[in-house]
Amino acid sequence: MGPEATCSGHLARLQVRTWVEPVVASTQVASSLYDAGLLLVLKDSFAATSNHSATPSPGDAQEDQQQKAISNFYIIYNLVMGLTPLLPAFGLGWLSDRYHRKISLCVALLGLLLCRLGLLFKVLWDWPVEVLYWAVGLNGLCGGHSAYWSGIVSLGSLGSSVDRRSVRLIFIDLILGFAGFTGSMVSGHLFRQMFGQPSKGLLLTACSVSCASFAFFYSLLVLKVPQLEAKPRKALSPVDTVSGTVGTYRTLDPDEPDRQSVVGHPLSPRKATPQKSIIALLFLGAILYDIAVVGTVDVMPLFVLRAPLSWGQVEVGYSMAAGYMIFITSFLGVLIFSRCFRDTTMITIGMISFGLGALLLTFVKNTYMFYIARAVMLFALIPITTIRSAMSKLIKDSSYGKVFVILQLSLTLTSVVTSTVYNELYQLTMEKFVGTCFALSCFLSFLAIVPIGIVACKQASWAKHADVTEK
């Protein structure tokens, strides 16, 4: 009993070391502190520049000038952040599939740490804001968010069974949401803690660097790659749907080539490989929806700084924390909806939720209206997470790194274009109708439902054909 107990305890400790949640939590706290700190540092920097200008401007003109300066900074910043990871992230994904699963994750976390150090040094030594372009460039050369999140999704998928994968991935998002909520709630208060005026924001940026350091060293020294257990063969019906969904995706396991001949009637090539068209449509839906989300998220910090809201440091932190509540409500939504709805239905619910919230943001005039709009977006995280889960069920586990990084790079590339277009559109419309960008996001969110609806129709058609064949 002694040796068995020792072995059992060792296996339990090893299993705990495969959890990616500590990495996700610490990384997201660092990121939420960094995002709030970056916005507030930019606001103070450009406010100081306008105050020291040779020709003082009226209050409204000064606010517009500050908004345009911050918006222009984010255009270049997001371009650098989005374009620099393209080749490194794909290369890291290939290396992770070929050699070791942790390569993309560890390298990306190193880049994230260097980026957080850049903001700390800017605050500490009053460097020009342009140094942050170099900091985020270093982050991108290390794979950026694309390599980081594809590594997290790959490890999370490997550590879960197929029937519980949607819940597993959304649980990781839940941890991310809790961590982001905590970091955002305290960000404004930490920013106000000063050790002399030149060190404003020093405590916040130091905390961000500490959390990023913990995530990097934990992933490097503690985290273990989950080991897949051998799956026993079992008798399968002609249409074997993924457990946990209601007939959503035909289970096409690439590692089981003889699966289609279980009933003695092999499917035609068109029916045998439906996952290709499904994956293409899922990609399209994810990209359209991501454009809507990224555009809204990029414009929202600028929107809350100017009239009619004109929020301060603490209120900005609270608004970011409200955004992270979506991770919690989306997790509860998947937990409940996955028992009675198809994946495509859950994706549609999430898209409708975000679209309605964006529509309400278009007409926000008061603080309470802003939080009502954010509350309506309670299921906005479901679509992208569920799409990733659906894709993981249709590809080999040995291809997770490449497929997930391609998806993430596609989203990143479209995000770069989206950020530029939305920031330019915001500058053009902020004096006429400040909610224009949110109205566009509402339209795109509902447009993204179209390819998801086609997926649902295809699945229904294939299921009906299979039923007729079986009879």
Side-chain angles (χ1 to χ4, degrees):
M1 181 175 180
E4 292 178 359
T6 303
C7 182
S8 177
H10 174 73
L11 290 175
R13 288 192 298 272
L14 184 61
Q15 185 178 8
V16 170
R17 291 179 62 183
T18 63
W19 294 353
V20 296
E21 282 81 353
V23 177
V24 172
S26 53
T27 301
Q28 192 55 41
V29 170
S31 296
S32 59
L33 293 176
Y34 174 84
D35 292 340
L38 177 61
L39 178 62
L40 296 174
V41 165
L42 291 175
K43 179 184 177 183
D44 287 353
S45 297
F46 290 124
T49 301
S50 60
N51 289 335
H52 290 88
S53 61
T55 55
S57 304
D60 292 341
Q62 184 175 337
E63 183 184 45
D64 290 343
Q65 183 181 358
Q66 182 185 9
Q67 288 264 303
K68 290 181 179 179
I70 297 175
S71 179
N72 289 329
F73 172 87
Y74 274 116
I75 289 175
I76 301 176
Y77 182 88
N78 290 332
L79 280 172
V80 176
M81 181 174 62
L83 294 178
T84 52
L86 293 180
L87 290 178
F90 184 80
L92 289 170
W94 180 83
L95 289 173
S96 296
D97 285 339
R98 187 174 180 85
Y99 296 106
H100 200 285
R101 288 289 179 185
K102 292 203 305 181
I103 291 177
S104 62
L105 180 62
C106 292
V107 175
L109 287 173
L110 175 61
L112 184 143
L113 174 59
L114 294 175
C115 183
R116 277 48 180 162
L117 283 170
L119 183 60
L120 175 63
F121 294 155
K122 186 263 180 287
V123 171
L124 188 59
W125 294 312
D126 197 24
W127 286 353
V129 295
E130 286 75 17
V131 75
L132 298 174
Y133 297 147
W134 294 95
V136 76
L138 284 175
N139 186 18
L141 291 176
C142 292
H145 181 75
S146 299
Y148 161 71
W149 197 244
S150 63
I152 291 293
V153 173
S154 296
L155 294 177
S157 298
L158 287 172
S160 62
S161 59
V162 172
D163 58 334
R164 300 295 295 172
R165 191 159 295 162
S166 295
V167 176
R168 166 67 169 162
L169 295 183
I170 201 68
F171 179 75
I172 293 175
D173 284 330
L174 173 66
I175 298 299
L176 187 148
F178 271 122
F181 176 82
T182 302
S184 297
M185 285 294 289
V186 302
S187 61
H189 298 283
L190 290 177
F191 189 83
R192 296 172 66 178
Q193 300 298 319
M194 297 182 296
F195 306 101
Q197 186 64 25
S199 300
K200 190 174 184 180
L202 178 60
L203 181 60
L204 182 146
T205 52
C207 290
S208 178
V209 169
S210 299
C211 293
S213 300
F214 172 82
F216 171 68
F217 288 109
Y218 184 94
S219 65
L220 186 65
L221 304 175
V222 179
L223 185 65
K224 295 293 183 182
V225 178
Q227 298 297 322
L228 290 176
E229 297 180 0
K231 295 179 291 184
R233 299 279 181 171
K234 60 180 181 179
L236 298 170
S237 61
V239 182
D240 182 25
T241 56
V242 175
S243 177
T245 64
V246 185
T248 309
Y249 295 100
R250 185 187 302 270
T251 304
L252 294 174
D253 191 345
D255 296 325
E256 298 184 23
D258 57 337
R259 186 181 192 121
Q260 298 165 0
S261 59
V262 170
V263 294
H265 300 284
L267 298 175
S268 65
R270 184 174 65 88
K271 297 297 182 181
T273 58
Q275 74 270 32
K276 291 184 178 180
S277 58
I278 288 180
I279 289 176
L281 288 167
L282 291 175
F283 256 86
L284 178 59
I287 289 173
L288 286 173
Y289 183 69
D290 191 65
I291 291 174
V293 173
V294 169
T296 299
V297 171
D298 279 357
V299 169
M300 197 176 297
L302 301 173
F303 174 74
V304 300
L305 289 178
R306 65 169 287 123
L309 296 181
S310 302
W311 284 352
Q313 299 162 354
V314 175
E315 290 80 6
V316 167
Y318 289 165
S319 70
M320 292 183 174
Y324 284 109
M325 288 297 295
I326 293 173
F327 289 83
I328 302 171
T329 53
S330 294
F331 168 76
L332 296 176
V334 169
L335 205 61
I336 296 172
F337 296 153
S338 62
R339 300 177 182 276
C340 50
F341 292 134
R342 300 180 177 185
D343 283 357
T344 48
T345 305
M346 292 195 295
I347 294 170
T348 303
I349 290 173
M351 291 178 173
I352 292 174
S353 173
F354 180 82
L356 292 177
L359 181 62
L360 293 178
L361 279 176
T362 305
F363 305 103
V364 164
K365 299 295 182 184
N366 305 100
T367 298
Y368 77 91
M369 295 176 65
F370 175 87
Y371 284 108
I372 289 176
R374 294 299 269 169
V376 173
M377 295 179 176
L378 76 169
F379 298 131
L381 190 68
I382 291 177
I384 297 297
T385 302
T386 308
I387 286 173
R388 285 195 182 101
S389 173
M391 288 183 177
S392 73
K393 301 169 186 176
L394 299 173
I395 59 176
K396 293 181 180 180
D397 52 32
S398 60
S399 301
Y400 283 172
K402 288 180 289 186
V403 173
F404 287 141
V405 84
I406 289 173
L407 173 62
Q408 196 62 44
L409 286 175
S410 300
L411 298 180
T412 300
L413 192 58
T414 54
S415 297
V416 171
V417 179
T418 299
S419 178
T420 302
V421 171
Y422 266 75
N423 275 283
E424 292 289 350
L425 180 62
Y426 178 77
Q427 292 184 34
L428 292 174
T429 60
M430 64 181 181
E431 297 179 4
K432 300 175 182 177
F433 182 56
V434 73
T436 303
C437 293
F438 300 136
L440 178 59
S441 292
C442 174
F443 169 75
L444 291 174
S445 180
F446 285 108
L447 182 63
I449 297 175
V450 175
I452 304 302
I454 296 175
V455 170
C457 292
K458 281 178 173 289
Q459 292 168 346
S461 175
W462 287 325
K464 183 178 180 180
H465 175 80
D467 289 339
V468 171
T469 304
E470 183 181 7
K471 292 179 180 179

